[in-house]
Amino acid sequence: MQRICVIGGSRYFGKLLVERLQAAGHQVTVINRGSTPPPAGVEHLVVDRDDEAALTAALDARAFDVVVDQVCYTPVQAAVAARAFAGRTRRYVMTSTIEVYDPATAALPAVPSGTPVSEESVDPATWKVAMDLPWHDDAYLEAHYAEGKRQAEAVFTHAAGFSFATVRSAHVLGGGVREFTGRLAHYAGRVTLGEEITVHAKALPTVFIHYEELADLLMWATAADFTGPVNACSDGPLDVHGLAETVAAQAGREAVYRTAAAGEEVSPFSVDRHYAMSNARAKALGFSFSRTTDWLPGAVAEALAVSAVPTD
């Protein structure tokens, strides 16, 4: 049994992680702002993680074997957490994102198209941190999501008092109504209605992971001893056409595409930059991934089942 603190953990794969940790017999504490209660039997600390004094007071004399941070988006948040949990945990695991590799958001090393991007492409140990940027402004944060994650990783990497690992997640799908972003529902609705899916003229592959698999990987990361970044994606990159055709096959319809004009907004997962991740490091450390094509049809079926749009 471990004492594990989950910051966030109120929905989707974070909620599933909490449930699985509890089922495995771990002593779990959830920290969030109180909008969603955790499962029965889980300790719940209601506090705003951005309020350092309140967070420190809420933690009181508690100590943990592992902290899993599901909702860290800025270096400022990371710095607050690093100070609050220094000496309170031996290991800190942050959920990060594939977007850290997006070459449109930072000057990153060139990677040959078709070569899966490895963790070394973004080294948090050498990444520059700028605390004085307007990280508290929601519009700025939304526009600089990837950079916020990169800088948060950098802050934790240099923090004293615990070992740090970061899980860079691929695009997460599955779960039907649990998939709160609505990105798979976007395709379910458009395909069943025969509406156009707007794509790049040359859409490149990206990578995905099922929400249950990501919860499994995060749970594995709590017991592992690796440090630094690890990529989390199922085997088998897929482009927007492959995704839409899977939806079309399940719906018994045809996908209709339209090429986007320059600067026009496109459908989710249509990307024109190469940054599909490699999962080789996680495999070498002992985690086994599924294939995207094995679970995607089931995830699509869930999205179609909860869609308000009729399929016939």
Side-chain angles (χ1 to χ4, degrees), residues 284-307:
L285 290 167
F287 191 84
S288 298
F289 290 95
S290 65
R291 292 196 62 81
T292 304
T293 51
D294 289 340
W295 57 257
L296 184 57
V300 168
E302 290 175 321
L304 289 168
V306 300
S307 174

Side-chain angles (χ1 to χ4, degrees), residues 201-285:
K202 185 180 180 181
L204 297 177
T206 186
V207 285
F208 301 89
I209 191 167
H210 193 273
Y211 84 107
E212 292 184 353
E213 187 164 42
L214 182 53
D216 288 341
L217 189 143
L218 287 166
M219 188 167 175
W220 165 78
T222 65
D225 61 1
F226 71 89
T227 58
V230 65
N231 294 336
C233 58
S234 300
D235 289 334
L238 200 66
D239 66 18
V240 64
H241 297 93
L243 177 64
E245 294 305 322
T246 302
V247 176
Q250 291 284 323
R253 301 292 178 92
E254 289 189 8
V256 181
Y257 302 99
R258 181 177 66 82
T259 301
E264 183 181 3
E265 186 174 352
V266 296
S267 291
F269 313 127
S270 181
V271 295
D272 60 352
R273 291 96 65 197
H274 167 66
Y275 59 108
M277 299 188 299
S278 165
N279 59 16
R281 184 178 190 223
K283 287 181 176 178
L285 290 167

Side-chain angles (χ1 to χ4, degrees), residues 11-46:
R11 60 182 179 179
Y12 208 26
F13 60 86
K15 182 179 181 180
L16 182 59
L17 171 65
V18 170
E19 293 170 349
R20 291 190 172 177
L21 288 170
Q22 184 185 34
H26 299 298
Q27 181 179 325
V28 183
T29 297
V30 167
I31 294 176
N32 61 32
R33 289 179 292 186
S35 59
T36 305
V42 170
E43 182 183 37
H44 188 196
L45 301 182
V46 178

Side-chain angles (χ1 to χ4, degrees), residues 60-270:
D60 195 22
R62 291 173 178 83
F64 307 97
D65 295 298
V66 187
V67 175
V68 183
D69 195 340
Q70 298 281 76
V71 288
C72 187
Y73 303 108
T74 75
V76 176
Q77 290 179 322
V80 167
R83 289 190 294 266
F85 286 95
R88 297 180 189 271
T89 186
R90 61 171 178 80
R91 181 169 177 77
Y92 202 104
V93 178
M94 173 187 157
T95 303
S96 191
T97 173
I98 183 178
E99 303 300 338
V100 302
Y101 299 116
D102 185 351
T105 63
L108 301 175
V111 178
S113 186
T115 302
V117 179
S118 66
E119 291 85 353
E120 290 79 11
S121 291
V122 176
D123 181 359
T126 61
W127 202 262
K128 184 178 179 180
V129 173
M131 292 288 194
D132 56 347
L133 295 174
W135 295 115
H136 295 292
D137 181 87
D138 289 342
Y140 181 88
L141 179 56
E142 182 177 359
H144 297 83
Y145 171 72
E147 182 61 15
K149 285 288 192 179
R150 286 187 286 257
Q151 292 195 24
E153 289 186 21
V155 170
F156 282 126
T157 298
H158 294 291
F162 49 71
S163 66
F164 173 66
T166 180
V167 173
R168 294 171 175 170
S169 171
H171 305 295
V172 188
L173 296 178
V177 293
R178 300 179 186 88
E179 202 270 286
F180 66 93
T181 68
R183 292 177 296 186
L184 198 51
H186 168 91
Y187 288 92
R190 287 193 171 273
V191 169
T192 53
L193 281 175
E195 295 178 345
E196 293 175 334
I197 297 167
T198 307
V199 300
H200 291 100
K202 185 180 180 181
L204 297 177
T206 186
V207 285
F208 301 89
I209 191 167
H210 193 273
Y211 84 107
E212 292 184 353
E213 187 164 42
L214 182 53
D216 288 341
L217 189 143
L218 287 166
M219 188 167 175
W220 165 78
T222 65
D225 61 1
F226 71 89
T227 58
V230 65
N231 294 336
C233 58
S234 300
D235 289 334
L238 200 66
D239 66 18
V240 64
H241 297 93
L243 177 64
E245 294 305 322
T246 302
V247 176
Q250 291 284 323
R253 301 292 178 92
E254 289 189 8
V256 181
Y257 302 99
R258 181 177 66 82
T259 301
E264 183 181 3
E265 186 174 352
V266 296
S267 291
F269 313 127
S270 181

